Amino acid sequence: MSDLGFTWRTHKSGELQIFHRGKLATTLRGAKASDFLDLAASGDTGAAQQEAARLTGNYKRGNERLAKGHPRNA
C-alpha cells in the first residue's frame, strides 16, 4: 500500500505542491516543505505517501466501516 496516488513538484521559490490523483491538494512552504522533501529523499516511498496524506488531510479516519452500515447510508 505504498502508492496512495500522491505526487509532488518543487518550484524555484521553495514552494512544494502536492497533487492527489493529478489535482492540486495543497501547497507547502518553508519548514514543512523542507521536512517533507527530506522524508521523500530518504527513499521510503510508503512513508512519503503517508505523510502527503496527513499533510493534505486526505486519509481515512477509521469510521468509514461504521458509517457504511448506518441506516441513513443504506
Side-chain angles (χ1 to χ4, degrees):
M1 193 161 140
S2 62
D3 186 19
L4 300 175
F6 289 98
T7 57
W8 45 88
R9 182 183 325 161
T10 58
H11 294 275
K12 289 180 185 178
S13 64
E15 286 185 345
L16 171 72
Q17 292 181 324
I18 299 178
F19 297 87
H20 185 246
R21 302 186 196 269
K23 294 185 179 182
L24 181 63
T26 192
T27 302
L28 302 176
R29 295 173 187 88
K32 284 188 178 183
S34 177
D35 292 344
F36 180 81
L37 288 174
D38 290 343
L39 177 66
S42 72
D44 188 0
T45 307
Q49 290 284 317
Q50 286 292 323
E51 185 64 19
R54 284 187 204 98
L55 290 170
T56 62
N58 234 344
Y59 59 95
K60 294 189 182 232
R61 290 152 184 88
N63 63 351
E64 289 82 5
R65 187 174 303 138
L66 298 173
K68 187 169 85 172
H70 194 275
R72 78 168 169 253
N73 296 331

